[in-house]
Amino acid sequence: MADGSFNKEGMSLRQYLRFVDEFREHLTLHHDIEEMHVFPKLAKKMPEFRANERHKKSHKLIHDGLDRVEAAVKGFREDNSSYNPVEMRAALDSFREPLYTHLAEEVCVY
């Protein structure tokens, strides 16, 4: 929807940016909960969940991209006329590969 097709879905730019930002916030909260509560329990029996292992590293890669999304959304909210679908798509794509890899790893581990 970054290409502007959010309009076809009945969303304004403001609504779309809120949708993207809520996704970013939810994914951040999900990872924070995993790192604070889930991983420590799993680490007791599964070494791959111990501190500084691949799951936390993959979260870091994902959140580097989410930081780009946050900055893009903030800029577009401040000036709606500056909305650039190419820039938004690039921000979203910046964490696609780490996210898909992370999800595949979770499926294999769990």
Side-chain angles (χ1 to χ4, degrees), residues 30-88:
H30 168 83
H31 286 164
D32 289 348
I33 290 169
E34 280 186 329
E35 290 182 15
M36 288 189 291
H37 301 286
V38 178
F39 290 175
K41 291 195 185 306
L42 291 174
K44 291 176 183 175
K45 294 187 179 187
M46 302 171 76
E48 59 267 28
F49 286 97
R50 291 193 182 128
N52 298 318
E53 290 300 322
R54 77 171 183 246
H55 293 284
K56 284 189 176 185
K57 290 177 184 176
S58 68
H59 283 179
K60 170 76 170 96
L61 293 173
I62 293 164
H63 287 277
D64 289 346
L66 290 175
D67 290 345
R68 284 185 62 186
V69 170
E70 181 178 26
V73 167
K74 182 181 179 195
F76 299 142
R77 279 183 169 159
E78 289 173 358
D79 179 9
N80 287 327
S81 67
S82 72
Y83 183 75
N84 181 325
V86 174
E87 183 180 337
M88 186 61 163

Side-chain angles (χ1 to χ4, degrees), residues 14-28:
R14 182 176 176 220
Q15 291 168 318
Y16 172 68
L17 293 174
R18 185 174 58 238
F19 173 78
V20 170
D21 205 38
E22 287 174 356
F23 168 76
R24 181 195 59 76
E25 289 174 351
H26 291 172
L27 189 53
T28 299

